Amino acid sequence: MVILVYMEGGEKHCRPLTSLEEMMKACNTDENVKNWKMYRQTGDDCYKRALVQVCYNCQVADGGLLKGVKTVSPFFFYDIDCRDREECRRIVGQLLRMKDELGLVEVSESASYGVHAVGRREPGHTILESQVRISILTQTEMDTNNKENNRVVFHGPIDAETTPLLDEALFTERLGDEEAAGEYQRLKEREKKGLEEVPAGAKKANKHYRPWEETCSSPKLGEARRGLNEGMTEAPGSSPKLGEARRGLNERMTEAEGAAAGAPVQTTPPDGTPPNLGGESCAQEAAFDMCAELAGLNPNEMDIWGVHNWHANLMAVLSVGVGKLMSREQLQAVVAKRLPNYSQTEDCQKLIGYFYEKYDAGKGFMNASLRQINAKAQTMSPKLGDDSSLNEGCSEDSSDPQPPNFGGLRMPLGVKDSIEAVGPAMAMPMVTAVCPCIGALATGVVLDVHGKKKGLNLISYIAGDFASGKGDIDPVIDTWMSEEIAKNRLYQQQEDEHRAKVRAAKNQKDQPQEMKLPVRYVTLNTTVANLAERLANTDGKHAFSYTPEADTVAQKWRSAMSDFSVMVRQSYDGSRYEREARSAEAVNVHIEHLLWNITMCGTPDCVYRIVSNYTDGLQSRIAFARTPDNTFKKLEDRTPQLTLRQTEHIQQVAHLLPLMQGEVVLPKLEAKGREWLENIRLETMMNDDRVKARQRFRICVTAQRMTCCLMLCKVCETLIQKHGLSGAETRLKQQPNLFKEMLLKAQTPQMLAAFAVIADSLMENALYFFRERIEDAINSRDYAGSSERLRMGKNDTIFERLDAEFGYDAAFQQSIATKGADVTHNKVRQMLKNWKKQGLIKQTERGRYVKISGVDL
């Protein structure tokens, strides 16, 4: 039964809840929903303590006091702490799949993204024994302090997402009053005499206790348990499923103790190598992957977290029924590929053996999901005489590879939500698009790369055909920059009011003072002068520009693309930018460090309108990404969209990034970058690939900056999960160097692997778009020199025919010889004037000219 706990007269009183409707009415009040949401947003304990309180472990009459209660209920409460929302969902899925085996009647999320479970307590066994049992079966840490019969639980709103399991039996099943009191006395006596079937460590205070670890090294526990089983019979009325699960657990613990004592462990095959399954391996791997997805796991993420989660992940897949789809040897071969580190351990072999031997995993009824998985897997088996024996899921070769994504690498808060908003296929384009936003928001962070300290200056271009999903990036960018967009609206309103005052005072003596506002979200649909003025008034912080249509730049700046190129190149380096104007009314710009991050989206052909010169360094400073080819892709039933939860997470991270200030040195990331550079150098030396060799320099710098952006988001995620948003903000303000310490710890193998993925993707796209053009630019004079001279004309022929020193008459004669008799003196004078402006010749005296050495058309 469920007890609702409420305060009255300074004491906690109880009221039994007898139906699901009654509990939902108590938990789904507006106030409880509000406190639930506020605690998840802020992490402030005052909201948590205001939540509805319930109790599962005891039975109390209506109006009775909770304090001093001496009864137990037929249920027990089990609390699981999780690192993040992703782990919470995984564990919830695991519990739902094992609900019958564990005897669960409720599974719900806690306010802090933990998991609350309520199960049937086996008669004659204490609450602690029940908690240890479920902890071992699920391989989840437990809090040994949560064993009291009057334990109170803070309960949030009840809905399908937060409370996926809530059985009516929780409200209807109860013990008689005398039975509840008598059971309490028996359990107390059992606890007092030390008859509880738990490891010794369960008796000590430990919020992160792992009983399965102590079980494997405690022979005394096995003796005590065996003696207890010999001297006691099963209590009447015990659940057959619970009894069977308990016996299976005892056998499993006995096997573990035998291994600890030195008993040989049987492994298959004897040499420790997985059996060769031949052509069927692809189908077995596909079946395993689909079972993992059915269990709520990503097959590529199963080999990341360590022994504890390896065990839990494999158990989740086994619980789905993967053993019914393949033999034990086939499963071991697949596990050797999916969990190579864990597959060699004794624990892995025991776990697989346990399911095949105790549960007859390879036999029995297959549900509809397993039948569907089996049918799909069989279609992937190779057929005799079929040249394409491997299906797309197993083939590593593709003539038209899709843009890379981050596979099993877990992205931090904010970035992960951005990817979820557009779908996993758009992972790399989305990361490339949002990293300039992150770098602009974390404007105070200076990263040491190869000994040079620069800000997180990034310029990116997302290329894709029309209707390829580029438009899905727009709302994500707006969410990251939402605070700056809000400021822009205020600045725009102030500027409009100022312009109105200027127009009103046009003919007056006293003119309004010029207004300069620090607008950081700068539009690209403007002039060079306006843009330079905006960039000079950002108070030394990064400006940011985004355009969903790169043709805005190509058309608006068509006559000033060289100015745009220079500004972008200097912003990447954070160097000084100067601009003098002739007019007294125009603004002179002097920027000590030009800080300007840009994200552009456009079609592949527009890339070449933005980057028209392939040797001036602009191309190497831009991070290019491509959207996946969706030409023949089937329309999804539910397309990814930016949800309120994802928006909230992104805004929380974006709010904390500006609070990080200072220089950071990331030695592991630097070492990874140098290793990547050296590998590319050796590869290109063997192939004499000069284009790729030169691309690696700035790509490494860009990839390190992008990876640093991801690490900063990881720091924000850790702080938010630990202290809430307001607490994280306070910590960053009070401890300015805290983020540097956390950033060093954020150099995890996952983040370093993310660097390699980013760097390889940037290299691939740079070569995809520009390899041939760069080679032509180096080898052909068609692309050399200034961008104005794109083809040879008659004036070029005249220039080549003239001597190094020539006079006006010689130029006139060569013009007639080349163009014909209709050449006028004005045309010849204009030609010579153009040559002087282009730096091709200089005038030595009246009517005499000399070619500038080194010029060759």
Side-chain angles (χ1 to χ4, degrees):
M1 62 184 300
V2 185
I3 302 296
L4 177 66
V5 181
Y6 61 94
M7 296 297 296
E8 186 176 300
E11 294 181 309
K12 291 184 177 180
H13 290 257
C14 303
R15 178 169 66 86
L17 299 175
T18 58
S19 67
L20 175 60
E21 292 75 15
E22 194 174 355
M23 186 172 181
M24 292 184 67
K25 184 177 179 181
C27 295
N28 289 354
T29 61
D30 293 340
E31 182 180 1
N32 199 50
V33 173
K34 177 184 176 183
N35 290 329
W36 171 271
K37 291 181 178 179
M38 291 302 297
Y39 178 74
R40 287 197 160 186
Q41 291 176 3
T42 65
D44 194 337
D45 282 342
C46 69
Y47 294 110
K48 180 178 179 180
R49 297 185 183 280
L51 292 172
V52 169
Q53 300 181 36
V54 295
C55 182
Y56 300 97
N57 295 341
C58 65
Q59 293 183 179
V60 188
D62 192 1
L65 290 175
L66 182 64
K67 185 178 181 181
V69 63
K70 295 184 178 181
T71 61
V72 292
S73 77
F75 304 103
F76 72 95
F77 171 75
Y78 181 65
D79 186 20
I80 305 174
D81 290 333
C82 302
R83 288 187 298 269
D84 50 34
R85 181 70 179 274
E86 185 175 343
E87 185 181 26
C88 171
R89 289 180 172 179
R90 182 183 63 78
I91 292 178
V92 166
Q94 179 183 355
L95 293 178
L96 292 176
R97 290 186 297 274
M98 302 176 68
K99 64 179 181 178
D100 293 333
E101 178 185 354
L102 302 174
L104 299 181
V105 292
E106 180 181 342
V107 176
S108 60
E109 293 184 8
S110 70
S112 56
Y113 293 112
V115 180
H116 289 168
V118 181
R120 287 185 172 89
R121 181 183 55 80
E122 190 172 357
H125 289 75
T126 63
I127 296 171
L128 182 60
E129 286 179 290
S130 302
Q131 291 174 337
V132 168
R133 171 184 161 276
I134 193 174
S135 175
I136 293 176
L137 285 178
T138 60
Q139 296 279 289
T140 52
E141 295 177 349
M142 60 173 286
D143 185 353
T144 58
N145 299 316
N146 294 341
K147 60 185 178 182
E148 301 301 329
N149 66 323
N150 58 354
R151 163 75 176 177
V152 172
V153 182
F154 296 103
H155 208 294
I158 299 175
D159 54 45
E161 181 179 359
T162 61
T163 314
L165 175 63
L166 189 57
D167 199 315
E168 286 283 357
L170 189 60
F171 308 98
T172 58
E173 295 181 11
R174 68 185 306 273
L175 301 177
D177 294 342
E178 294 183 1
E179 185 182 3
E183 179 79 349
Y184 174 80
Q185 295 299 331
R186 289 192 295 272
L187 297 182
K188 277 294 182 183
E189 188 71 15
R190 179 182 175 86
E191 180 182 353
K192 184 177 180 180
K193 291 182 179 181
L195 298 176
E196 288 181 292
E197 190 179 347
V198 295
K203 296 287 188 177
K204 303 175 183 178
N206 189 345
K207 289 184 175 292
H208 304 283
Y209 179 52
R210 296 182 173 187
W212 63 90
E213 294 180 352
E214 188 170 356
T215 298
C216 294
S217 58
S218 177
K220 292 183 178 180
L221 175 62
E223 295 175 5
R225 185 180 65 254
R226 285 189 290 271
L228 180 62
N229 291 338
E230 292 172 0
M232 295 183 61
T233 58
E234 290 190 6
S238 62
S239 168
K241 290 186 177 180
L242 288 178
E244 182 182 349
R246 178 170 169 266
R247 286 191 295 274
L249 172 62
N250 290 340
E251 293 172 2
R252 183 178 171 194
M253 293 166 69
T254 303
E255 292 174 4
E257 290 160 5
V265 178
Q266 181 65 32
T267 57
T268 304
D271 61 355
T273 59
N276 184 6
L277 304 181
E280 294 182 358
S281 61
C282 184
Q284 308 304 336
E285 290 174 24
F288 183 91
D289 292 347
M290 286 186 281
C291 286
E293 292 172 357
L294 184 61
L297 302 173
N298 186 329
N300 298 317
E301 292 181 356
M302 295 179 64
D303 195 36
I304 293 176
W305 293 109
V307 176
H308 166 50
N309 279 336
W310 286 337
H311 184 109
N313 289 341
L314 182 56
M315 176 179 282
V317 180
L318 289 168
S319 300
V320 169
V322 68
K324 299 181 184 299
L325 305 178
M326 61 190 77
S327 67
R328 180 173 177 171
E329 290 73 19
Q330 289 173 329
L331 179 61
Q332 287 174 333
V334 175
V335 171
K337 292 185 178 181
R338 292 294 181 264
L339 297 163
N341 298 315
Y342 181 54
S343 64
Q344 302 301 321
T345 64
E346 294 180 356
D347 184 73
C348 177
Q349 302 296 337
K350 289 181 182 178
L351 181 58
I352 296 175
Y354 176 74
F355 268 80
Y356 276 86
E357 294 168 7
K358 304 301 180 183
Y359 288 107
D360 291 330
K363 304 176 183 178
F365 172 78
M366 284 195 297
N367 57 31
S369 298
L370 284 178
R371 290 198 300 271
Q372 185 177 10
I373 289 174
N374 187 46
K376 290 182 179 179
Q378 292 303 321
T379 62
M380 298 178 181
S381 298
K383 300 178 182 178
L384 292 176
D386 187 0
D387 294 335
S388 56
S389 59
L390 298 179
N391 93 328
E392 295 177 1
C394 300
S395 176
E396 296 180 358
D397 187 19
S398 175
S399 59
D400 186 17
Q402 293 294 310
N405 57 38
F406 291 91
L409 301 179
R410 183 185 176 278
M411 291 291 103
L413 191 71
V415 179
K416 175 171 69 71
D417 298 277
S418 301
I419 295 173
E420 290 176 354
V422 295
M426 286 279 288
M428 194 63 214
M430 178 52 72
V431 170
T432 308
V434 301
C435 278
C437 301
I438 299 171
L441 292 170
T443 183
V445 177
V446 177
L447 177 64
D448 187 316
V449 180
H450 309 333
K452 297 179 181 180
K453 297 178 175 61
K454 302 287 185 180
L456 301 178
N457 311 321
L458 293 166
I459 298 97
S460 67
Y461 187 104
I462 315 303
D465 294 323
F466 58 88
S468 61
K470 300 189 299 296
D472 296 338
I473 297 176
D474 298 3
V476 179
I477 296 290
D478 290 344
T479 303
W480 278 100
M481 303 302 296
S482 56
E483 291 189 7
E484 292 302 324
I485 291 174
K487 293 178 183 178
N488 271 23
R489 292 195 185 101
L490 294 177
Y491 294 150
Q492 185 64 47
Q493 184 178 356
Q494 294 178 31
E495 288 182 345
D496 292 342
E497 294 174 354
H498 177 73
R499 290 192 184 97
K501 291 179 181 179
V502 170
R503 287 194 298 269
K506 184 175 182 180
N507 297 321
Q508 295 180 9
K509 189 173 184 180
D510 296 330
Q511 294 291 322
Q513 188 176 0
E514 184 179 1
M515 178 181 292
K516 293 184 179 181
L517 298 174
V519 176
R520 294 179 59 195
Y521 198 132
V522 182
T523 178
L524 288 171
N525 192 6
T526 184
T527 63
V528 178
N530 289 341
L531 178 61
E533 185 177 357
R534 288 291 194 196
L535 297 178
N537 295 325
T538 59
D539 296 336
K541 300 179 180 180
H542 273 82
F544 177 76
S545 295
Y546 171 71
T547 175
E549 296 294 342
D551 271 321
T552 301
V553 178
Q555 296 299 323
K556 186 70 177 181
W557 295 64
R558 179 166 44 184
S559 60
M561 283 305 294
S562 59
D563 292 329
F564 176 79
S565 175
V566 169
M567 295 177 74
V568 170
R569 282 181 279 161
Q570 290 186 276
S571 66
Y572 181 88
D573 300 327
S575 56
R576 176 186 292 273
Y577 178 77
E578 306 278 354
R579 188 174 189 273
E580 294 283 352
R582 295 181 180 179
S583 173
E585 298 179 356
V587 178
N588 294 329
V589 175
H590 304 278
I591 304 175
E592 184 67 23
H593 298 286
L594 181 58
L595 304 176
W596 182 31
N597 286 7
I598 308 169
T599 297
M600 296 176 283
C601 296
T603 54
D605 61 295
C606 187
V607 170
Y608 307 114
R609 292 194 287 273
I610 299 296
V611 182
S612 57
N613 190 313
Y614 312 115
T615 57
D616 64 356
L618 175 62
Q619 171 269 322
S620 61
R621 288 175 168 90
I622 300 178
F624 290 93
R626 286 180 291 155
T627 60
D629 184 4
N630 62 344
T631 306
F632 300 104
K633 183 180 178 182
K634 183 179 178 181
L635 183 63
E636 299 177 3
D637 295 334
R638 296 182 61 183
T639 57
Q641 291 182 347
L642 184 65
T643 64
L644 293 176
R645 180 182 63 84
Q646 294 163 355
T647 300
E648 177 186 350
H649 289 171
I650 294 172
Q651 290 177 343
Q652 288 177 352
V653 175
H655 181 73
L656 296 180
L657 289 172
L659 302 178
M660 301 178 184
Q661 306 277 338
E663 296 180 0
V664 293
V665 179
L666 303 176
K668 292 183 180 179
L669 181 60
E670 175 69 16
K672 186 70 175 179
R674 291 180 177 274
E675 177 187 355
W676 184 85
L677 280 173
E678 182 63 13
N679 290 338
I680 298 296
R681 186 184 74 86
L682 295 176
E683 175 191 340
T684 53
M685 283 179 62
M686 295 174 62
N687 302 331
D688 193 25
D689 191 345
R690 301 181 62 85
V691 174
K692 186 174 182 179
R694 294 214 59 81
Q695 290 291 316
R696 78 185 194 275
F697 295 115
R698 287 201 175 113
I699 285 178
C700 181
V701 175
T702 302
Q704 285 190 237
R705 291 178 182 178
M706 291 175 66
T707 308
C708 181
C709 291
L710 302 183
M711 292 181 180
L712 290 174
C713 293
K714 181 60 180 177
V715 171
C716 294
E717 177 185 11
T718 303
L719 289 172
I720 291 172
Q721 290 178 350
K722 201 169 185 180
H723 308 288
L725 180 60
S726 59
E729 184 177 359
T730 303
R731 286 297 185 94
L732 288 173
K733 289 179 179 178
Q734 293 177 349
Q735 304 178 42
N737 293 325
L738 175 63
F739 89 95
K740 298 181 182 179
E741 301 171 4
M742 298 182 67
L743 204 59
L744 291 174
K745 298 178 181 178
Q747 299 176 95
T748 61
Q750 282 207 52
M751 287 292 106
L752 299 180
F755 162 82
V757 174
I758 293 172
D760 291 342
S761 175
L762 296 181
M763 176 66 77
E764 177 187 349
N765 289 319
L767 297 179
Y768 174 83
F769 284 114
F770 296 104
R771 176 187 283 279
E772 294 181 359
R773 293 173 183 256
I774 292 174
E775 291 174 349
D776 290 342
I778 295 174
N779 300 325
S780 174
R781 66 182 182 180
D782 290 344
Y783 292 96
S786 60
S787 59
E788 289 81 7
R789 306 190 64 82
L790 298 179
R791 59 185 179 83
M792 296 292 289
K794 292 183 177 180
N795 287 357
D796 299 317
T797 303
I798 298 171
F799 184 87
E800 289 180 343
R801 290 181 175 180
L802 292 171
D803 296 333
E805 296 184 10
F806 62 92
Y808 175 82
D809 293 337
F812 186 76
Q813 291 174 3
Q814 291 294 341
S815 298
I816 294 175
T818 304
K819 296 183 178 181
D822 59 343
V823 174
T824 64
H825 287 282
N826 286 336
K827 289 183 178 180
V828 175
R829 281 193 288 268
Q830 184 62 44
M831 178 184 68
L832 296 173
K833 183 179 179 181
N834 292 340
W835 286 352
K836 286 195 295 183
K837 184 183 295 185
Q838 294 168 10
L840 302 177
I841 61 174
K842 63 180 179 179
Q843 188 172 2
T844 56
E845 55 182 283
R846 184 178 180 85
R848 299 297 302 175
Y849 305 91
V850 60
K851 293 182 180 179
I852 296 177
S853 61
V855 174
D856 184 17
L857 295 181

